């Protein structure tokens, strides 16, 4: 008997860890019964506190003993366990990291047909080593690809390369396709059919580039990406290829990088790309001028154009307005392109996209400031206009709908009060609450109702309890943040 061991209760309240490799690479492809056997066996491995016998194992899972043994034979074939003995049966679990780095043993007859057909594909070109066969087996088991599907991929690679292609190349293609979910013979046939349909397009590209050979699998994959993933038409691909060839800078990688960039910039047609290229220098000049105005320097202006200038132009801002905003940002201590981008977003939400609209916006602010100054002067408040005043005035005018006549009348009631601005706002708030909309209604209401000055009451209510410094700061901060 063991000197120390877990109690049954301790084990019941613990956890059984299952490696993610099992969940990802094995669980989806095994039968539910086989997975159940593996996981329950993993659980029993934690302690000898249970009746860890084949009979009890089968009874717990409501399976026959033969089915349990069959499940462990499957997992032994997968390399996850080892059956040390069969009478009595004894199972050893193998760490999954070891499974991935060790060669598995397969039944001799499992890959007989595969070996024969694979050898025919390479006949007259090269022989297949034992190690290469093992790599194919491991791939088939790990990715759960049909044998016939892999044979079709091997044949395609050999015929495309027209040479004794290595197995690493074949497995790279097969793994890429498997990652796309192409694991069955039917799916490989569909993939090859799609690629065959693109042969005419690829021929057009090779003709334009004066390339006299068959395209490689990688080149076909590029075309598939450009047309299917990025959605470019053949004329766009041909335009970019010819353009790079003319500059002696052609490579499929460069075409891919350029098309990916245009895709991200939402430039989808030849005309859009040409227009962008023609305007590119102007955009570079604008970027340089904006950087200079706000006081920043970027050696690579292409990044500025792609990430900022083009975005702002597409939003509808004109060049002169962008320069005006850059000057505005500099004067208000906004000295980064990120800061200018946030400022422009605010103007965009306000519908201000041109210099004329911006000037009208500023004129309106100055006009309102003059009105507010007159209000403050009437109330004997000798100070500058601040944002709180502007928000208060905006609320009276825009949200409550009061014109200057009503505000001026309310001023006559607030003049001379202890907190005149607060009193003025309270009077207007009372009228708004009562549904008073016109000057006549306001005058009639004032005649028949005594407007109580509640400022002292507000003060006593406010000081009726003790507030901490943090509470007061939070209160005033929340008031300041209100967008009236």
């Amino acid at each position: 008997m063991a000197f120390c061991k877990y109690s049954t209760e301790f084990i019941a309240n613990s956890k059984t860890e299952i490696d993610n490799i099992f969940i990802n690479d094995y669980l989806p492809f095994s039968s539910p019964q086989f997975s159940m056997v593996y996981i329950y066996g993993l659980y029993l491995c934690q302690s000898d506190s249970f009746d860890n016998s084949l009979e009890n194992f089968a009874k717990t899972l409501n399976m026959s003993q033969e089915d349990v043994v069959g499940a462990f034979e499957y997992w032994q074939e997968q390399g996850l366990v080892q059956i040390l003995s069969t009478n009595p049966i004894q199972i050893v679990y193998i760490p999954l990291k070891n499974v991935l780095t060790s060669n598995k043993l397969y039944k001799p007859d499992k890959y007989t047909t595969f070996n024969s057909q694979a050898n025919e594909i390479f006949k007259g070109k090269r022989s297949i080593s034992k190690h290469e066969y093992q790599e194919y087996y491991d791939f088939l088991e790990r990715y759960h690809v049909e044998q016939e599907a892999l044979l079709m991929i091997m044949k395609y690679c050999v015929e495309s390369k027209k040479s004794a292609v290595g197995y690493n190349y074949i497995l790279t293609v097969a793994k890429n396709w498997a990652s796309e979910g192409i694991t069955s013979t039917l799916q490989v046939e569909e993939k090859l059919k799609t690629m065959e349909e693109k042969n005419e397009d690829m021929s057009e590209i090779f003709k334009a580039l004066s390339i006299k050979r068959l395209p490689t699998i990688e080149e076909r994959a590029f075309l598939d990406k450009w047309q299917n993933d990025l959605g470019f038409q053949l004329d766009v691909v041909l335009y970019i290829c010819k353009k790079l060839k003319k500059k002696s800078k052609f490579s499929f990688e460069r075409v891919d990088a350029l098309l990916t960039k245009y895709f991200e910039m939402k430039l989808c047609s030849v005309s859009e790309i040409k227009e962008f290229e023609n305007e590119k220098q102007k955009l570079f000049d604008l970027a340089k001028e904006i950087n200079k105005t706000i006081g920043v320097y970027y050696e690579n202006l292409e990044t500025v154009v792609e990430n900022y200038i083009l975005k702002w132009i597409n939003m509808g801002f004109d060049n002169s307005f962008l320069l005006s905003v850059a000057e505005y940002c500099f004067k208000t201590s906004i000295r980064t392109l990120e800061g200018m981008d946030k400022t422009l977003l605010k103007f965009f939400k306000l519908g201000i996209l041109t210099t004329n609209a911006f000037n009208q916006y500023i004129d309106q602010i100055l006009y309102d400031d003059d009105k507010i100054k007159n209000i403050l002067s009437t109330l004997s408040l000798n100070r500058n206009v601040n944002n709180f005043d502007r928000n208060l005035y905006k609320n009276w005018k825009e949200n409550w709908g009061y014109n200057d006549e009503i505000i001026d009348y309310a001023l006559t009631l607030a003049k001379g009060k202890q907190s005149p601005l607060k009193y003025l706002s309270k009077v207007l708030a009372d009228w708004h609450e009562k549904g008073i909309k016109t000057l006549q209604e306001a005058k009639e209401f004032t005649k028949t109702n005594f407007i109580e000055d509640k400022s002292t009451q507000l003060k006593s209510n406010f000081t009726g309890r003790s507030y901490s410094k943090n509470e007061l700061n939070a209160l005033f901060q929340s008031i300041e943040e209100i967008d009236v």
Side-chain angles (χ1 to χ4, degrees):
M1 180 178 290
F3 173 64
C4 295
K5 64 179 181 179
Y6 290 126
S7 69
T8 303
E9 292 79 9
F10 185 95
I11 296 172
N13 287 282
S14 298
K15 298 176 182 177
T16 299
E17 291 189 0
I18 303 176
D19 200 300
N20 285 338
I21 297 173
F22 175 79
I23 295 173
N24 186 63
D25 294 347
Y26 296 95
L27 180 65
F29 307 103
S30 70
S31 71
Q33 271 198 338
F34 286 3
S35 295
M36 184 168 59
V37 167
Y38 179 84
I39 294 170
Y40 187 64
L42 198 63
Y43 165 67
L44 291 181
C45 287
Q46 292 184 109
S47 173
D48 58 0
S49 300
F50 301 99
D51 179 3
N52 198 347
S53 65
L54 176 59
E55 181 181 2
N56 191 60
F57 192 109
K59 183 178 179 182
T60 302
L61 297 184
N62 195 27
M63 295 172 60
S64 69
Q65 294 183 29
E66 290 77 11
D67 286 342
V68 172
V69 173
F72 278 121
E73 288 176 346
Y74 169 80
W75 290 121
Q76 178 173 247
E77 185 177 335
Q78 297 299 313
L80 273 63
V81 304
Q82 184 178 359
I83 302 176
L84 297 182
S85 66
T86 55
N87 191 20
I89 189 165
Q90 188 176 4
I91 309 295
V92 172
Y93 275 70
I94 298 172
L96 292 188
K97 65 179 181 180
N98 293 359
V99 175
L100 298 178
T101 56
S102 62
N103 289 330
K104 301 177 187 176
L105 298 176
Y106 303 102
K107 293 179 181 179
D109 59 343
K110 185 172 184 179
Y111 290 105
T112 302
T113 302
F114 174 85
N115 294 347
S116 174
Q117 293 180 355
N119 190 57
E120 282 297 316
I121 292 173
F122 288 97
K123 193 172 182 179
K125 294 181 174 65
R126 66 174 178 83
S127 60
I128 304 176
S129 68
K130 183 179 179 180
H131 174 73
E132 182 175 347
Y133 276 125
Q134 182 70 40
E135 290 289 331
Y136 292 142
Y137 305 157
D138 289 344
F139 167 77
L140 291 167
E141 297 288 336
R142 176 80 187 279
Y143 290 87
H144 303 278
V145 173
E146 293 178 3
Q147 293 183 28
E148 184 63 31
L150 178 56
L151 288 167
M152 291 173 68
I153 294 173
M154 293 167 68
K155 184 177 180 180
Y156 171 70
C157 290
V158 170
E159 290 178 352
S160 296
K161 280 285 188 178
K162 295 293 183 182
S163 62
V165 59
Y167 73 88
N168 282 326
Y169 180 85
I170 293 171
L171 287 176
T172 298
V173 174
K175 287 175 183 177
N176 287 338
W177 290 14
S179 68
E180 298 174 19
I182 300 172
T183 58
S184 70
T185 304
L186 182 61
Q187 289 169 327
V188 171
E189 285 178 349
E190 287 295 323
K191 177 76 173 180
L192 293 175
K193 182 180 177 182
T194 301
M195 296 178 73
E196 189 66 28
E197 289 172 353
K198 293 185 180 297
N199 274 349
E200 188 174 337
D201 288 350
M202 186 60 79
S203 297
E204 284 289 319
I205 294 171
F206 271 36
K207 182 180 178 181
L209 297 171
S210 302
I211 299 176
K212 297 179 180 179
R213 61 169 174 79
L214 291 174
T216 66
I217 293 175
E218 292 83 0
E219 291 165 349
R220 293 176 187 271
F222 274 128
L223 181 59
D224 185 63
K225 173 187 174 183
W226 301 335
Q227 293 186 320
N228 293 340
D229 297 346
L230 304 186
F232 286 110
Q233 297 296 318
L234 179 62
D235 64 328
V236 177
V237 177
L238 286 170
Y239 171 74
I240 300 300
C241 289
K242 291 176 182 178
K243 179 181 176 182
L244 290 177
K245 181 193 175 186
K246 189 175 181 181
K247 295 181 178 180
S248 301
K249 293 182 178 180
F250 173 81
S251 72
F252 275 85
E253 289 74 17
R254 283 182 174 171
V255 174
D256 182 61
L258 204 51
L259 286 173
T260 301
K261 183 183 76 171
Y262 289 146
F263 172 77
E264 292 170 351
M265 295 167 67
K266 307 294 187 297
L267 303 175
C268 304
S269 66
V270 173
S271 60
E272 289 174 329
I273 293 172
K274 283 183 176 180
E275 183 179 356
F276 168 74
E277 295 294 342
N278 291 335
E279 296 294 322
K280 196 172 183 179
Q281 189 55 50
K282 294 179 182 178
L283 295 176
F284 272 62
D285 293 339
L286 178 60
K288 190 184 298 183
E289 189 65 27
I290 288 174
N291 287 348
K292 180 181 177 181
T293 301
I294 64 174
V296 297
Y297 174 76
Y298 282 83
E299 185 174 351
N300 185 3
L301 287 176
E302 191 164 347
T303 302
V304 177
V305 169
E306 291 174 9
N307 294 336
Y308 294 103
I309 306 299
L310 190 62
K311 169 187 173 182
W312 298 337
I313 295 296
N314 288 337
M315 289 171 73
F317 295 113
D318 61 34
N319 291 11
S320 62
F321 179 66
L322 290 175
L323 291 172
S324 297
V325 174
E327 186 176 354
Y328 164 81
C329 288
F330 180 80
K331 290 179 179 179
T332 54
S333 298
I334 299 172
R335 307 290 172 82
T336 65
L337 291 174
E338 292 85 352
M340 181 171 169
D341 185 54
K342 291 178 181 178
T343 301
L344 284 167
L345 182 58
K346 292 178 182 179
F347 286 130
F348 181 77
K349 289 180 178 179
L350 290 169
I352 301 171
L353 305 177
T354 64
T355 303
N356 185 48
F358 178 72
N359 290 335
Q360 289 179 2
Y361 176 72
I362 296 298
D363 289 343
Q364 185 62 51
I365 291 176
L366 296 176
Y367 176 80
D368 290 344
D369 276 7
D370 286 338
K371 291 285 187 180
I372 297 169
K373 283 178 184 178
N374 290 332
I375 291 172
L376 295 177
S377 177
T378 302
L379 297 176
S380 301
L381 298 174
N382 298 317
R383 61 174 176 76
N384 292 327
V385 177
N386 57 40
N387 280 334
F388 178 79
D389 300 328
R390 294 187 183 99
N391 288 333
L392 205 59
Y393 184 73
K394 181 180 179 181
N395 187 49
W396 301 338
K397 298 280 287 187
E398 296 182 13
N399 297 336
W400 293 352
Y402 288 136
N403 57 32
D404 290 337
E405 283 186 333
I406 296 179
I407 294 174
D408 288 343
Y409 176 63
L411 266 174
T412 63
L413 302 177
K415 188 175 180 181
K417 299 298 181 182
Q418 184 177 357
S419 300
L421 188 60
K422 185 189 298 182
Y423 189 89
L424 171 62
S425 186
K426 182 181 70 64
V427 169
L428 293 171
D430 284 344
W431 292 349
H432 176 67
E433 186 179 349
K434 298 295 188 303
I436 294 171
K437 299 295 183 182
T438 67
L439 177 61
Q440 186 62 33
E441 290 173 344
K443 288 181 177 181
E444 290 176 358
F445 179 80
T446 303
K447 287 179 183 179
T448 57
N449 295 273
F450 176 74
I451 301 178
E452 181 185 359
D453 184 356
K454 296 182 180 179
S455 60
T456 55
Q457 179 184 344
L458 178 64
K459 182 177 181 182
S460 63
N461 287 342
F462 181 76
T463 57
R465 57 157 283 193
S466 176
Y467 286 82
S468 69
K469 183 177 180 180
N470 287 339
E471 287 175 325
L472 288 174
N473 285 339
L475 174 63
F476 291 130
Q477 185 178 9
S478 67
I479 293 173
E480 284 292 322
E481 289 175 354
I482 295 175
D483 187 11
V484 182

